[in-house]
Amino acid sequence: MAGRREATSRESRRMLIAAAAEVIGERGYRQATFAEIADRAGISRGSIPWHFSNKEGLLEAVVEQVTEDMRTRFGALTPGEGADL
């Protein structure tokens, strides 16, 4: 049963990060609220501090995810291939 709980927790975290990236991108960090992020993710507002401790922790997770996505997307380019980016 623990495996299922862990998978659900990972999925909730992923959904919160994705929702936070959208909300912060639209409204900016200062105007983004836990309530709006949780609503966008379809997850309880209390899940945010449980996963990330605070708003800064959530922002760090968003930045880490965006960085990882960029590495995955552009890290596979051969030298000179992305020069026009």
Side-chain angles (χ1 to χ4, degrees), residues 8 16 23-25 31 33 35 45-46 62-63 68-69 77 81 83:
T8 300
L16 287 166
V23 173
I24 291 169
Q31 281 71 43
T33 65
R45 188 177 106 166
V62 169
V63 170
E68 181 60 32
D69 291 350
L77 297 176
E81 187 178 11

Side-chain angles (χ1 to χ4, degrees), residues 1 19 26 31 36 41 45 47 53 65 71-72 81 84:
M1 198 67 140
E26 292 168 7
Q31 281 71 43
E36 186 174 8
R45 188 177 106 166
S47 295
S53 296
Q65 185 62 55
R71 281 191 182 128
T72 299
E81 187 178 11
D84 60 339

Side-chain angles (χ1 to χ4, degrees), residues 14-34:
R14 185 199 64 74
M15 292 169 63
L16 287 166
I17 291 170
E22 290 176 5
V23 173
I24 291 169
E26 292 168 7
R27 300 176 48 79
Y29 174 74
R30 289 183 186 213
Q31 281 71 43
T33 65
F34 278 6

Side-chain angles (χ1 to χ4, degrees), residues 5-82:
R5 191 174 317 134
E6 288 174 23
T8 300
S9 181
R10 279 193 306 273
E11 180 64 10
S12 294
R13 182 180 167 86
R14 185 199 64 74
M15 292 169 63
L16 287 166
I17 291 170
E22 290 176 5
V23 173
I24 291 169
E26 292 168 7
R27 300 176 48 79
Y29 174 74
R30 289 183 186 213
Q31 281 71 43
T33 65
F34 278 6
E36 186 174 8
I37 292 166
D39 186 54
R40 179 86 51 108
I43 296 174
S44 157
R45 188 177 106 166
S47 295
I48 297 172
W50 189 84
H51 284 285
F52 307 103
S53 296
N54 54 36
K55 194 173 179 181
E56 291 82 13
L58 177 57
L59 179 61
E60 287 176 17
V62 169
V63 170
E64 287 172 10
Q65 185 62 55
V66 169
T67 301
E68 181 60 32
D69 291 350
M70 291 182 73
R71 281 191 182 128
T72 299
R73 182 173 291 169
F74 298 116
L77 297 176
T78 58
E81 187 178 11

